[in-house]
Amino acid sequence: AGLTAACAAGDRIYALESGHLYQVDPKTGKYEQIGEENTWKAAILLPAGDKLYAIEPGGNLYQISIK
């Protein structure tokens, strides 16, 4: 499926790829998967404070804590 959405929050980049959410350090390129979910289908990923908001093509909205 590949990369479906990405955004920057704080000093990290967050990316949804193949249903997984990843946190990426842009300075080093190192990344880690957040959570065990592999069902994310979001087309839009928005940062707001210590949370991300994922919006799926059908309109479903999800709040994700990134603390």
Side-chain angles (χ1 to χ4, degrees):
L3 184 69
T4 56
C7 70
D11 63 348
R12 297 289 185 256
I13 296 172
Y14 294 88
L16 288 172
E17 180 180 7
S18 301
H20 300 280
L21 177 61
Y22 295 97
Q23 174 181 275
V24 182
D25 182 333
K27 293 179 183 174
T28 65
K30 292 184 180 181
Y31 62 91
E32 64 179 302
Q33 182 176 331
I34 297 175
E36 298 297 320
E37 295 291 323
N38 68 345
T39 58
W40 293 106
K41 297 177 180 85
I44 300 171
L45 195 57
L46 302 168
D50 63 351
K51 297 183 179 16
L52 298 178
Y53 291 89
I55 304 170
E56 293 184 342
N60 292 333
L61 173 67
Y62 298 94
Q63 180 180 357
I64 305 162
S65 177
I66 54 172
K67 286 185 182 182

Short mmCIF file of all heavy atoms in Angstrom, two decimals:
data_model
loop_
_atom_site.label_atom_id
_atom_site.label_comp_id
_atom_site.label_asym_id
_atom_site.label_seq_id
_atom_site.Cartn_x
_atom_site.Cartn_y
_atom_site.Cartn_z
N ALA A 1 0.83 -1.19 0.00
CA ALA A 1 0.00 0.00 0.00
C ALA A 1 0.86 1.25 0.00
O ALA A 1 0.48 2.23 -0.58
CB ALA A 1 -0.94 -0.02 1.19
N GLY A 2 2.02 1.21 0.68
CA GLY A 2 2.92 2.36 0.68
C GLY A 2 2.49 3.47 1.61
O GLY A 2 1.57 3.33 2.41
N LEU A 3 3.17 4.60 1.52
CA LEU A 3 2.90 5.77 2.35
C LEU A 3 1.56 6.37 2.00
O LEU A 3 1.29 6.66 0.83
CB LEU A 3 4.02 6.81 2.17
CG LEU A 3 3.93 8.04 3.04
CD1 LEU A 3 4.19 7.69 4.49
CD2 LEU A 3 4.92 9.08 2.56
N THR A 4 0.70 6.56 3.02
CA THR A 4 -0.62 7.15 2.76
C THR A 4 -0.77 8.54 3.34
O THR A 4 -1.56 9.33 2.85
CB THR A 4 -1.74 6.25 3.30
OG1 THR A 4 -1.53 6.03 4.69
CG2 THR A 4 -1.77 4.92 2.57
N ALA A 5 -0.02 8.85 4.42
CA ALA A 5 -0.11 10.17 5.04
C ALA A 5 1.12 10.39 5.91
O ALA A 5 1.72 9.44 6.40
CB ALA A 5 -1.37 10.28 5.88
N ALA A 6 1.46 11.67 6.10
CA ALA A 6 2.59 12.02 6.96
C ALA A 6 2.43 13.45 7.45
O ALA A 6 1.75 14.26 6.81
CB ALA A 6 3.91 11.88 6.20
N CYS A 7 3.06 13.76 8.60
CA CYS A 7 3.07 15.13 9.11
C CYS A 7 4.24 15.27 10.09
O CYS A 7 4.81 14.27 10.53
CB CYS A 7 1.75 15.47 9.79
SG CYS A 7 1.48 14.62 11.36
N ALA A 8 4.57 16.50 10.42
CA ALA A 8 5.61 16.79 11.40
C ALA A 8 4.94 17.29 12.67
O ALA A 8 3.97 18.05 12.62
CB ALA A 8 6.57 17.84 10.87
N ALA A 9 5.44 16.84 13.82
CA ALA A 9 4.96 17.30 15.12
C ALA A 9 6.15 17.31 16.06
O ALA A 9 6.84 16.30 16.20
CB ALA A 9 3.86 16.37 15.64
N GLY A 10 6.38 18.44 16.68
CA GLY A 10 7.55 18.56 17.54
C GLY A 10 8.81 18.37 16.72
O GLY A 10 8.96 18.96 15.65
N ASP A 11 9.70 17.52 17.17
CA ASP A 11 10.94 17.26 16.44
C ASP A 11 10.91 15.92 15.71
O ASP A 11 11.94 15.34 15.41
CB ASP A 11 12.13 17.33 17.38
CG ASP A 11 12.10 16.27 18.47
OD1 ASP A 11 11.05 15.62 18.65
OD2 ASP A 11 13.12 16.09 19.16
N ARG A 12 9.72 15.41 15.44
CA ARG A 12 9.55 14.12 14.77
C ARG A 12 8.64 14.23 13.55
O ARG A 12 7.85 15.16 13.43
CB ARG A 12 8.95 13.08 15.72
CG ARG A 12 9.81 12.75 16.92
CD ARG A 12 11.02 11.95 16.50
NE ARG A 12 11.82 11.50 17.62
CZ ARG A 12 12.97 12.04 17.97
NH1 ARG A 12 13.45 13.06 17.33
NH2 ARG A 12 13.66 11.54 18.98
N ILE A 13 8.77 13.26 12.69
CA ILE A 13 7.85 13.09 11.56
C ILE A 13 7.04 11.84 11.84
O ILE A 13 7.59 10.84 12.33
CB ILE A 13 8.62 12.95 10.23
CG1 ILE A 13 9.39 14.23 9.93
CG2 ILE A 13 7.66 12.59 9.09
CD1 ILE A 13 10.33 14.11 8.75
N TYR A 14 5.78 11.88 11.57
CA TYR A 14 4.89 10.73 11.76
C TYR A 14 4.38 10.32 10.39
O TYR A 14 3.99 11.18 9.59
CB TYR A 14 3.74 11.08 12.70
CG TYR A 14 4.27 11.35 14.09
CD1 TYR A 14 4.68 12.62 14.45
CD2 TYR A 14 4.40 10.32 15.00
CE1 TYR A 14 5.22 12.86 15.71
CE2 TYR A 14 4.94 10.56 16.26
CZ TYR A 14 5.34 11.82 16.61
OH TYR A 14 5.89 12.05 17.84
N ALA A 15 4.42 9.04 10.12
CA ALA A 15 4.05 8.55 8.80
C ALA A 15 3.19 7.30 8.91
O ALA A 15 3.46 6.43 9.75
CB ALA A 15 5.30 8.23 7.98
N LEU A 16 2.17 7.22 8.07
CA LEU A 16 1.34 6.03 7.95
C LEU A 16 1.75 5.31 6.68
O LEU A 16 1.70 5.88 5.59
CB LEU A 16 -0.14 6.40 7.88
CG LEU A 16 -0.76 6.91 9.16
CD1 LEU A 16 -2.16 7.43 8.91
CD2 LEU A 16 -0.79 5.80 10.20
N GLU A 17 2.20 4.08 6.85
CA GLU A 17 2.63 3.29 5.70
C GLU A 17 2.12 1.86 5.86
O GLU A 17 2.34 1.23 6.91
CB GLU A 17 4.15 3.29 5.56
CG GLU A 17 4.61 2.48 4.38
CD GLU A 17 6.11 2.45 4.22
OE1 GLU A 17 6.84 2.94 5.11
OE2 GLU A 17 6.57 1.93 3.21
N SER A 18 1.46 1.37 4.86
CA SER A 18 0.95 -0.01 4.86
C SER A 18 0.16 -0.33 6.13
O SER A 18 0.27 -1.42 6.68
CB SER A 18 2.09 -1.00 4.66
OG SER A 18 2.75 -0.76 3.45
N GLY A 19 -0.60 0.64 6.61
CA GLY A 19 -1.44 0.43 7.78
C GLY A 19 -0.76 0.61 9.12
O GLY A 19 -1.37 0.51 10.16
N HIS A 20 0.55 0.90 9.14
CA HIS A 20 1.31 1.07 10.37
C HIS A 20 1.65 2.55 10.57
O HIS A 20 1.90 3.27 9.60
CB HIS A 20 2.62 0.29 10.33
CG HIS A 20 2.43 -1.18 10.16
ND1 HIS A 20 2.10 -2.01 11.20
CD2 HIS A 20 2.51 -1.97 9.06
CE1 HIS A 20 1.98 -3.24 10.76
NE2 HIS A 20 2.23 -3.25 9.46
N LEU A 21 1.69 2.98 11.84
CA LEU A 21 2.09 4.34 12.18
C LEU A 21 3.53 4.31 12.67
O LEU A 21 3.88 3.53 13.56
CB LEU A 21 1.17 4.90 13.27
CG LEU A 21 1.51 6.30 13.78
CD1 LEU A 21 1.44 7.33 12.66
CD2 LEU A 21 0.57 6.68 14.92
N TYR A 22 4.36 5.18 12.09
CA TYR A 22 5.78 5.26 12.44
C TYR A 22 6.15 6.65 12.92
O TYR A 22 5.62 7.65 12.42
CB TYR A 22 6.67 4.93 11.23
CG TYR A 22 6.52 3.52 10.76
CD1 TYR A 22 5.67 3.21 9.71
CD2 TYR A 22 7.24 2.49 11.35
CE1 TYR A 22 5.53 1.90 9.26
CE2 TYR A 22 7.10 1.18 10.92
CZ TYR A 22 6.25 0.90 9.87
OH TYR A 22 6.11 -0.40 9.44
N GLN A 23 7.07 6.70 13.88
CA GLN A 23 7.68 7.95 14.34
C GLN A 23 9.11 7.97 13.80
O GLN A 23 9.85 7.01 13.99
CB GLN A 23 7.70 7.96 15.86
CG GLN A 23 8.43 9.14 16.46
CD GLN A 23 8.42 9.06 17.97
OE1 GLN A 23 7.49 9.50 18.59
NE2 GLN A 23 9.47 8.48 18.56
N VAL A 24 9.47 9.04 13.12
CA VAL A 24 10.77 9.13 12.45
C VAL A 24 11.56 10.31 13.00
O VAL A 24 11.03 11.41 13.14
CB VAL A 24 10.58 9.32 10.92
CG1 VAL A 24 11.94 9.35 10.22
CG2 VAL A 24 9.68 8.25 10.34
N ASP A 25 12.83 10.08 13.29
CA ASP A 25 13.74 11.16 13.68
C ASP A 25 14.35 11.69 12.38
O ASP A 25 15.15 10.99 11.74
CB ASP A 25 14.82 10.63 14.61
CG ASP A 25 15.77 11.71 15.08
OD1 ASP A 25 15.96 12.73 14.38
OD2 ASP A 25 16.34 11.53 16.16
N PRO A 26 14.00 12.92 11.98
CA PRO A 26 14.51 13.43 10.70
C PRO A 26 16.02 13.67 10.67
O PRO A 26 16.62 13.70 9.61
CB PRO A 26 13.74 14.73 10.49
CG PRO A 26 13.32 15.15 11.85
CD PRO A 26 13.14 13.89 12.64
N LYS A 27 16.64 13.80 11.84
CA LYS A 27 18.08 14.02 11.89
C LYS A 27 18.86 12.75 11.60
O LYS A 27 19.91 12.79 10.97
CB LYS A 27 18.49 14.57 13.26
CG LYS A 27 17.96 15.96 13.52
CD LYS A 27 18.36 16.44 14.89
CE LYS A 27 17.76 17.80 15.16
NZ LYS A 27 18.01 18.25 16.53
N THR A 28 18.35 11.62 12.07
CA THR A 28 19.08 10.37 11.92
C THR A 28 18.45 9.40 10.91
O THR A 28 19.10 8.47 10.46
CB THR A 28 19.17 9.63 13.27
OG1 THR A 28 17.85 9.25 13.67
CG2 THR A 28 19.81 10.50 14.35
N GLY A 29 17.16 9.61 10.64
CA GLY A 29 16.45 8.69 9.76
C GLY A 29 15.95 7.44 10.48
O GLY A 29 15.27 6.61 9.89
N LYS A 30 16.27 7.32 11.76
CA LYS A 30 15.80 6.16 12.53
C LYS A 30 14.30 6.27 12.76
O LYS A 30 13.78 7.37 12.94
CB LYS A 30 16.54 6.05 13.85
CG LYS A 30 17.99 5.71 13.69
CD LYS A 30 18.66 5.52 15.02
CE LYS A 30 20.13 5.18 14.79
NZ LYS A 30 20.84 4.96 16.04
N TYR A 31 13.63 5.13 12.78
CA TYR A 31 12.18 5.13 12.96
C TYR A 31 11.75 3.98 13.84
O TYR A 31 12.49 3.01 14.01
CB TYR A 31 11.46 5.06 11.61
CG TYR A 31 11.75 3.81 10.84
CD1 TYR A 31 10.95 2.68 10.97
CD2 TYR A 31 12.84 3.74 9.97
CE1 TYR A 31 11.22 1.52 10.27
CE2 TYR A 31 13.12 2.59 9.26
CZ TYR A 31 12.31 1.49 9.40
OH TYR A 31 12.58 0.34 8.71
N GLU A 32 10.57 4.12 14.43
CA GLU A 32 9.99 3.05 15.22
C GLU A 32 8.49 3.05 15.02
O GLU A 32 7.88 4.10 14.82
CB GLU A 32 10.34 3.18 16.70
CG GLU A 32 9.78 4.42 17.37
CD GLU A 32 10.15 4.49 18.85
OE1 GLU A 32 9.81 3.56 19.58
OE2 GLU A 32 10.77 5.49 19.23
N GLN A 33 7.93 1.86 15.06
CA GLN A 33 6.49 1.72 14.91
C GLN A 33 5.82 2.12 16.22
O GLN A 33 6.31 1.78 17.30
CB GLN A 33 6.12 0.29 14.55
CG GLN A 33 4.63 0.10 14.34
CD GLN A 33 4.28 -1.30 13.88
OE1 GLN A 33 5.08 -1.96 13.23
NE2 GLN A 33 3.10 -1.73 14.23
N ILE A 34 4.72 2.83 16.12
CA ILE A 34 3.93 3.21 17.29
C ILE A 34 2.73 2.28 17.36
O ILE A 34 1.94 2.21 16.42
CB ILE A 34 3.48 4.68 17.20
CG1 ILE A 34 4.69 5.60 17.18
CG2 ILE A 34 2.55 5.02 18.36
CD1 ILE A 34 4.35 7.05 16.97
N GLY A 35 2.61 1.58 18.47
CA GLY A 35 1.49 0.67 18.65
C GLY A 35 1.62 -0.58 17.79
O GLY A 35 2.58 -0.75 17.04
N GLU A 36 0.64 -1.44 17.92
CA GLU A 36 0.64 -2.70 17.18
C GLU A 36 -0.35 -2.69 16.02
O GLU A 36 -0.44 -3.66 15.29
CB GLU A 36 0.31 -3.86 18.13
CG GLU A 36 1.33 -4.04 19.24
CD GLU A 36 2.71 -4.39 18.72
OE1 GLU A 36 2.82 -5.18 17.76
OE2 GLU A 36 3.69 -3.87 19.26
N GLU A 37 -1.13 -1.63 15.92
CA GLU A 37 -2.16 -1.57 14.88
C GLU A 37 -1.53 -1.64 13.49
O GLU A 37 -0.48 -1.09 13.24
CB GLU A 37 -2.96 -0.27 14.99
CG GLU A 37 -3.77 -0.17 16.26
CD GLU A 37 -4.92 -1.15 16.29
OE1 GLU A 37 -5.54 -1.40 15.26
OE2 GLU A 37 -5.19 -1.66 17.38
N ASN A 38 -2.21 -2.32 12.60
CA ASN A 38 -1.78 -2.32 11.20
C ASN A 38 -2.99 -2.13 10.30
O ASN A 38 -3.05 -2.63 9.19
CB ASN A 38 -1.03 -3.60 10.84
CG ASN A 38 -1.92 -4.82 10.87
OD1 ASN A 38 -3.02 -4.78 11.40
ND2 ASN A 38 -1.46 -5.90 10.30
N THR A 39 -3.95 -1.37 10.82
CA THR A 39 -5.20 -1.17 10.09
C THR A 39 -5.48 0.29 9.75
O THR A 39 -6.56 0.62 9.31
CB THR A 39 -6.40 -1.72 10.92
OG1 THR A 39 -6.43 -1.04 12.17
CG2 THR A 39 -6.26 -3.20 11.15
N TRP A 40 -4.50 1.17 9.96
CA TRP A 40 -4.71 2.58 9.64
C TRP A 40 -4.91 2.76 8.15
O TRP A 40 -4.14 2.26 7.35
CB TRP A 40 -3.54 3.42 10.11
CG TRP A 40 -3.39 3.47 11.59
CD1 TRP A 40 -2.44 2.83 12.33
CD2 TRP A 40 -4.21 4.17 12.51
NE1 TRP A 40 -2.63 3.09 13.66
CE2 TRP A 40 -3.71 3.91 13.80
CE3 TRP A 40 -5.33 4.99 12.37
CZ2 TRP A 40 -4.29 4.45 14.95
CZ3 TRP A 40 -5.90 5.52 13.52
CH2 TRP A 40 -5.37 5.25 14.78
N LYS A 41 -5.95 3.48 7.80
CA LYS A 41 -6.25 3.75 6.40
C LYS A 41 -6.36 5.25 6.13
O LYS A 41 -6.94 5.67 5.15
CB LYS A 41 -7.56 3.06 6.00
CG LYS A 41 -7.50 1.55 6.11
CD LYS A 41 -8.84 0.94 5.77
CE LYS A 41 -8.80 -0.55 5.87
NZ LYS A 41 -9.02 -1.06 7.21
N ALA A 42 -5.83 6.05 7.04
CA ALA A 42 -5.98 7.50 6.94
C ALA A 42 -5.33 8.08 5.69
O ALA A 42 -4.27 7.64 5.27
CB ALA A 42 -5.41 8.18 8.18
N ALA A 43 -6.01 9.07 5.13
CA ALA A 43 -5.48 9.80 3.98
C ALA A 43 -4.90 11.14 4.42
O ALA A 43 -4.13 11.76 3.71
CB ALA A 43 -6.57 10.02 2.94
N ILE A 44 -5.30 11.58 5.64
CA ILE A 44 -4.84 12.85 6.19
C ILE A 44 -4.38 12.62 7.61
O ILE A 44 -5.05 11.95 8.39
CB ILE A 44 -5.97 13.91 6.16
CG1 ILE A 44 -6.44 14.15 4.72
CG2 ILE A 44 -5.50 15.21 6.80
CD1 ILE A 44 -7.68 15.00 4.62
N LEU A 45 -3.23 13.19 7.97
CA LEU A 45 -2.68 13.09 9.32
C LEU A 45 -2.32 14.51 9.75
O LEU A 45 -1.51 15.18 9.11
CB LEU A 45 -1.44 12.19 9.28
CG LEU A 45 -0.89 11.65 10.57
CD1 LEU A 45 -1.95 10.85 11.34
CD2 LEU A 45 0.33 10.79 10.31
N LEU A 46 -2.97 14.98 10.84
CA LEU A 46 -2.77 16.35 11.30
C LEU A 46 -2.24 16.37 12.73
O LEU A 46 -2.76 15.66 13.59
CB LEU A 46 -4.10 17.11 11.28
CG LEU A 46 -4.80 17.19 9.93
CD1 LEU A 46 -6.22 17.71 10.11
CD2 LEU A 46 -4.02 18.09 9.00
N PRO A 47 -1.22 17.22 13.02
CA PRO A 47 -0.71 17.33 14.38
C PRO A 47 -1.46 18.42 15.15
O PRO A 47 -1.90 19.42 14.57
CB PRO A 47 0.75 17.75 14.16
CG PRO A 47 0.69 18.56 12.89
CD PRO A 47 -0.39 17.93 12.05
N ALA A 48 -1.62 18.20 16.46
CA ALA A 48 -2.21 19.22 17.35
C ALA A 48 -1.70 18.94 18.76
O ALA A 48 -2.17 18.02 19.43
CB ALA A 48 -3.73 19.17 17.30
N GLY A 49 -0.69 19.69 19.18
CA GLY A 49 -0.11 19.48 20.50
C GLY A 49 0.53 18.11 20.61
O GLY A 49 1.35 17.74 19.78
N ASP A 50 0.11 17.34 21.61
CA ASP A 50 0.67 16.00 21.80
C ASP A 50 -0.23 14.91 21.22
O ASP A 50 -0.22 13.78 21.65
CB ASP A 50 0.95 15.73 23.28
CG ASP A 50 -0.31 15.75 24.13
OD1 ASP A 50 -1.38 16.13 23.61
OD2 ASP A 50 -0.23 15.38 25.31
N LYS A 51 -1.00 15.30 20.21
CA LYS A 51 -1.90 14.35 19.55
C LYS A 51 -1.81 14.48 18.03
O LYS A 51 -1.39 15.51 17.52
CB LYS A 51 -3.34 14.60 19.98
CG LYS A 51 -3.56 14.38 21.47
CD LYS A 51 -4.99 14.57 21.84
CE LYS A 51 -5.28 14.33 23.29
NZ LYS A 51 -4.24 14.31 24.24
N LEU A 52 -2.16 13.40 17.36
CA LEU A 52 -2.33 13.42 15.92
C LEU A 52 -3.80 13.12 15.64
O LEU A 52 -4.45 12.42 16.40
CB LEU A 52 -1.49 12.34 15.25
CG LEU A 52 0.02 12.41 15.41
CD1 LEU A 52 0.66 11.20 14.72
CD2 LEU A 52 0.57 13.69 14.86
N TYR A 53 -4.30 13.65 14.56
CA TYR A 53 -5.66 13.33 14.12
C TYR A 53 -5.56 12.69 12.75
O TYR A 53 -4.94 13.25 11.84
CB TYR A 53 -6.53 14.58 14.09
CG TYR A 53 -6.80 15.07 15.49
CD1 TYR A 53 -5.94 15.97 16.12
CD2 TYR A 53 -7.87 14.58 16.21
CE1 TYR A 53 -6.16 16.38 17.41
CE2 TYR A 53 -8.11 14.99 17.52
CZ TYR A 53 -7.24 15.89 18.11
OH TYR A 53 -7.46 16.29 19.40
N ALA A 54 -6.12 11.51 12.64
CA ALA A 54 -6.09 10.75 11.39
C ALA A 54 -7.50 10.75 10.80
O ALA A 54 -8.47 10.43 11.50
CB ALA A 54 -5.64 9.32 11.65
N ILE A 55 -7.60 11.12 9.54
CA ILE A 55 -8.89 11.15 8.86
C ILE A 55 -8.85 10.16 7.71
O ILE A 55 -7.99 10.25 6.83
CB ILE A 55 -9.21 12.56 8.33
CG1 ILE A 55 -9.16 13.57 9.48
CG2 ILE A 55 -10.57 12.56 7.64
CD1 ILE A 55 -9.24 15.01 9.04
N GLU A 56 -9.79 9.22 7.74
CA GLU A 56 -9.86 8.20 6.70
C GLU A 56 -10.69 8.70 5.52
O GLU A 56 -11.49 9.63 5.67
CB GLU A 56 -10.48 6.92 7.26
CG GLU A 56 -9.60 6.25 8.28
CD GLU A 56 -10.17 4.94 8.78
OE1 GLU A 56 -11.38 4.69 8.62
OE2 GLU A 56 -9.38 4.16 9.33
N PRO A 57 -10.51 8.11 4.34
CA PRO A 57 -11.27 8.54 3.15
C PRO A 57 -12.78 8.56 3.36
O PRO A 57 -13.47 9.42 2.82
CB PRO A 57 -10.87 7.52 2.09
CG PRO A 57 -9.52 7.07 2.49
CD PRO A 57 -9.55 7.06 4.00
N GLY A 58 -13.31 7.66 4.19
CA GLY A 58 -14.76 7.63 4.44
C GLY A 58 -15.23 8.68 5.43
O GLY A 58 -16.41 8.81 5.69
N GLY A 59 -14.28 9.43 6.03
CA GLY A 59 -14.63 10.50 6.96
C GLY A 59 -14.41 10.17 8.42
O GLY A 59 -14.58 11.04 9.27
N ASN A 60 -14.07 8.94 8.77
CA ASN A 60 -13.82 8.60 10.17
C ASN A 60 -12.62 9.39 10.69
O ASN A 60 -11.60 9.52 10.00
CB ASN A 60 -13.54 7.11 10.34
CG ASN A 60 -14.76 6.27 10.06
OD1 ASN A 60 -15.89 6.71 10.21
ND2 ASN A 60 -14.54 5.05 9.63
N LEU A 61 -12.75 9.92 11.92
CA LEU A 61 -11.71 10.72 12.55
C LEU A 61 -11.20 9.99 13.79
O LEU A 61 -12.00 9.54 14.62
CB LEU A 61 -12.26 12.09 12.94
CG LEU A 61 -11.36 12.99 13.76
CD1 LEU A 61 -10.14 13.44 12.95
CD2 LEU A 61 -12.15 14.21 14.24
N TYR A 62 -9.88 9.88 13.93
CA TYR A 62 -9.26 9.21 15.07
C TYR A 62 -8.26 10.14 15.73
O TYR A 62 -7.51 10.84 15.05
CB TYR A 62 -8.55 7.93 14.64
CG TYR A 62 -9.47 6.91 14.05
CD1 TYR A 62 -9.67 6.83 12.68
CD2 TYR A 62 -10.17 6.03 14.87
CE1 TYR A 62 -10.54 5.90 12.13
CE2 TYR A 62 -11.04 5.09 14.34
CZ TYR A 62 -11.22 5.04 12.97
OH TYR A 62 -12.08 4.12 12.42
N GLN A 63 -8.25 10.14 17.07
CA GLN A 63 -7.28 10.90 17.84
C GLN A 63 -6.22 9.92 18.33
O GLN A 63 -6.52 8.88 18.89
CB GLN A 63 -7.97 11.56 19.03
CG GLN A 63 -7.05 12.35 19.89
CD GLN A 63 -7.79 12.99 21.08
OE1 GLN A 63 -8.99 12.88 21.21
NE2 GLN A 63 -7.06 13.62 21.93
N ILE A 64 -4.93 10.28 18.14
CA ILE A 64 -3.81 9.42 18.51
C ILE A 64 -2.89 10.20 19.45
O ILE A 64 -2.40 11.27 19.09
CB ILE A 64 -3.02 8.99 17.25
CG1 ILE A 64 -3.93 8.34 16.22
CG2 ILE A 64 -1.87 8.08 17.63
CD1 ILE A 64 -3.34 8.29 14.83
N SER A 65 -2.65 9.66 20.63
CA SER A 65 -1.72 10.30 21.58
C SER A 65 -0.29 9.97 21.17
O SER A 65 0.03 8.82 20.90
CB SER A 65 -2.00 9.79 22.99
OG SER A 65 -1.07 10.36 23.88
N ILE A 66 0.58 10.98 21.15
CA ILE A 66 1.99 10.75 20.77
C ILE A 66 2.93 11.15 21.90
O ILE A 66 4.09 11.45 21.66
CB ILE A 66 2.36 11.49 19.46
CG1 ILE A 66 2.04 12.97 19.55
CG2 ILE A 66 1.68 10.83 18.29
CD1 ILE A 66 2.55 13.79 18.38
N LYS A 67 2.47 11.14 23.13
CA LYS A 67 3.32 11.49 24.30
C LYS A 67 4.46 10.52 24.43
O LYS A 67 4.35 9.37 24.23
CB LYS A 67 2.51 11.45 25.57
CG LYS A 67 1.59 12.61 25.71
CD LYS A 67 0.94 12.52 27.07
CE LYS A 67 -0.04 13.63 27.29
NZ LYS A 67 -0.64 13.57 28.60
#
